[in-house]
Amino acid sequence: MSDEKPAERPPVPILPAATILLLRDDPVFEVLMVKRHHQIDFAGGALVFPGGKTHGGDDEPGWEARTLGWEAALPQKRPLRIAAIREAYEEAGILLARHADGAPFRGDDRAAAAREDIGRDRRPFLDLIKELDLYLDLEALTVFAHWITPPMTPRRFDTWFYVAKAPEEQLAVCDGSETVDAEWIAPHEAVRLGLAGERTVIFPTRMNLQLLGEASSAEDAVARSRAREIVTVLPELTERNGERVLVLPPNAGYGAVVEPVSRAM
């Protein structure tokens, strides 16, 4: 018999990611959610907020001249804000940007036609923004939450959640590739659909929907986010009454959360 110990698995890399909760009151308080394609390797078929990993292009030096709020954002957070805006554009067709005179971007055919090329990395996002003569509105984003995927998962993300009021004159349209549907939905209704099994709503999404649902309007949600201390959420794996559970930090704003792993994963 061999005395060799089994090789330890290499640690799963933690990838930086950004997610955006686009909000509106039309006339009730709603958040934009997209349904991920069932063949996507992470959260396939789930109802989620637009978002994803950061890309190399999100850290291009040229963004300094094509953003609003560059100086106000910490250097390490700028690519995350750019990624959040890019993902909302790629997955839902909504672009948080302004013209040189400060007027909000209302959408046009060039932006709509470029989505697939941007989403498939055939064209830099910065190149499109230059062509449209726009400035990404980093100032429109407010930090909502910060989650890190627990160690036992096959893929791990260090995800920053942002809230922003959606531009009134842009329509949400899924990309048909990563997302197959885009809909505006009240936070409590999305939670209900997930708990009832009518939609797939993964654990972090459900927790942040519940937190979002404490607000009464888009403006109230943004104000609450600005006033709330952001506590990093790294769910702790433990055992309670013989069952493996995930426990959230009690001061993170979600209350006393003890989630069975069987329901969370």
Side-chain angles (χ1 to χ4, degrees):
M1 295 179 64
S2 174
D3 293 330
E4 292 184 3
K5 296 181 180 180
E8 293 185 5
R9 292 183 179 180
V12 177
I14 303 176
L15 305 176
T19 292
I20 188 166
L21 285 64
L22 288 168
L23 312 175
R24 73 175 188 182
D25 302 295
D26 191 25
V28 298
F29 176 42
E30 296 175 318
V31 61
L32 178 64
M33 303 194 73
V34 294
K35 182 179 179 182
R36 292 178 65 82
H37 194 287
H38 70 278
Q39 293 181 337
I40 296 291
D41 57 356
F42 178 75
L47 197 63
V48 298
F49 311 117
K53 302 186 297 294
T54 57
H55 291 180
D58 300 329
D59 201 18
E60 286 287 337
W63 280 116
E64 181 175 3
R66 283 291 164 182
T67 54
L68 302 173
W70 179 267
E71 292 297 334
L74 294 173
Q76 67 271 27
K77 297 297 191 299
R78 291 165 185 158
L80 291 160
R81 288 176 177 258
I82 292 168
I85 294 176
R86 175 181 51 75
E87 289 287 346
Y89 163 69
E90 290 178 8
E91 296 188 353
I94 292 181
L95 180 54
L96 291 174
R98 292 185 178 271
H99 296 280
D101 62 0
F105 178 61
R106 293 179 171 83
D108 67 17
D109 292 340
R110 291 175 298 169
R115 281 178 67 193
E116 183 175 355
D117 283 343
I118 302 299
R120 295 184 180 276
D121 294 327
R122 294 195 291 252
R123 182 183 182 187
F125 187 36
L126 177 58
D127 180 61
L128 172 66
I129 299 305
K130 289 179 178 179
E131 179 193 333
L132 299 175
D133 195 18
L134 295 174
Y135 300 83
L136 292 194
D137 194 357
L138 306 187
E139 297 172 327
L141 275 58
T142 299
V143 176
F144 180 80
H146 179 212
W147 282 60
I148 299 176
T149 313
M152 74 283 193
T153 54
R155 299 189 69 185
R156 299 190 68 192
F157 299 96
D158 182 340
T159 305
W160 288 85
F161 292 76
Y162 298 93
V163 287
K165 296 178 69 173
E168 296 180 359
E169 298 188 28
Q170 294 188 50
L171 297 177
V173 181
C174 70
D175 64 8
S177 176
E178 288 193 31
T179 62
V180 295
D181 194 15
E183 64 179 297
W184 293 97
I185 186 167
H188 289 306
E189 175 62 9
V191 171
R192 186 195 69 79
L193 291 170
L195 293 176
E198 298 179 37
R199 299 289 185 90
T200 299
V201 180
I202 60 177
F203 176 54
T205 304
R206 173 159 50 86
M207 289 294 97
N208 283 301
L209 281 167
Q210 290 179 186
L211 184 59
L212 181 65
E214 295 177 4
S216 58
S217 66
E219 183 174 350
D220 184 34
V222 172
R224 285 170 177 260
S225 298
R226 288 174 177 162
R228 186 171 61 246
E229 178 187 2
I230 302 300
V231 175
T232 298
V233 176
L234 174 56
E236 177 190 357
L237 178 64
T238 186
E239 188 170 308
R240 299 279 179 90
N241 300 320
E243 184 178 26
R244 297 171 73 218
V245 296
L246 293 175
V247 179
L248 300 192
N251 61 339
Y254 302 90
V257 178
V258 179
E259 181 80 358
V261 171
S262 58
R263 191 171 74 170
M265 308 305 290

